[in-house]
Amino acid sequence: MSKYVFEILEEVGKQRNRDDKVKILRENETWALKDIIRGTMDSKVTWNLPEGEPPYTASAPHNHPTNLIRENVKFKYFVKGGEGDQMPKVKREQIFIGLLEGIHPEDAKVVLSMINKKNLKGITRPVVEEAFPNLLRD
């Protein structure tokens, strides 16, 4: 089974060596991981959601119905200029809360950090550019 996105980010954050960080990112490459990194670090990605934390009930860590690797496709509804622009605000926010409630609670925290553009601990732009060239567009 592949690792959760939060586990990969924690592992990278603990590394002191740039080459080790790049290696871990490349070995665990998924669209979900790259979407989280891009959504956090790329200033051209703006979110069509209110800042802060919405009211949601986190799932139990041992019993969550889905995972971020499957659910990251819904990010397209939350990006300004994306498919969700035509969607009523309430519907978009309901989908977002459903995503947060369905994934591992630590991955939900990562998604909230992304939406609020909070830095990823121990991950710098040069590390990302080496691991995933052309991911960041700004």
Side-chain angles (χ1 to χ4, degrees):
M1 182 180 142
S2 60
K3 295 178 184 174
Y4 293 105
V5 172
F6 81 89
E7 292 175 318
I8 299 164
L9 295 174
E10 283 178 358
E11 188 177 345
V12 172
K14 291 177 185 174
Q15 302 303 312
R16 297 286 164 232
N17 182 313
R18 178 178 168 161
D19 292 338
D20 292 340
K21 292 178 185 223
V22 170
K23 182 179 183 227
I24 291 167
L25 287 172
R26 285 181 178 163
E27 287 174 350
N28 294 284
E29 179 179 358
T30 62
W31 280 110
L33 175 64
K34 293 194 305 188
D35 286 349
I36 290 290
I37 292 170
R38 182 159 184 242
T40 301
M41 299 178 88
D42 193 328
S43 64
K44 290 189 178 186
V45 176
T46 53
W47 299 103
N48 202 355
L49 290 165
E51 285 187 38
E53 186 173 317
Y56 76 100
T57 305
S59 63
H62 64 281
N63 189 24
H64 46 87
T66 189
N67 64 50
L68 190 51
I69 291 172
R70 271 189 241 141
E71 294 293 300
N72 73 300
V73 297
K74 293 180 181 173
F75 289 172
K76 65 186 175 189
Y77 300 125
F78 314 134
V79 176
K80 283 186 183 171
E83 293 182 28
D85 280 358
Q86 305 306 315
M87 185 181 294
K89 179 182 177 209
V90 172
K91 178 69 173 169
R92 183 173 46 252
E93 291 175 11
Q94 285 175 335
I95 293 170
F96 183 63
I97 290 170
L99 180 144
L100 295 175
E101 291 180 342
I103 61 178
H104 191 286
E106 293 300 317
D107 273 347
K109 290 177 186 176
V110 168
V111 170
L112 288 169
S113 290
M114 173 188 70
I115 297 296
N116 292 298
K117 296 285 190 177
K118 294 185 178 172
N119 291 336
L120 299 168
K121 183 183 174 207
I123 300 177
T124 61
R125 187 175 195 90
V127 167
V128 172
E129 288 173 345
E130 186 175 336
F132 308 126
N134 303 316
L135 177 66
L136 304 176
R137 297 185 183 148
D138 64 344

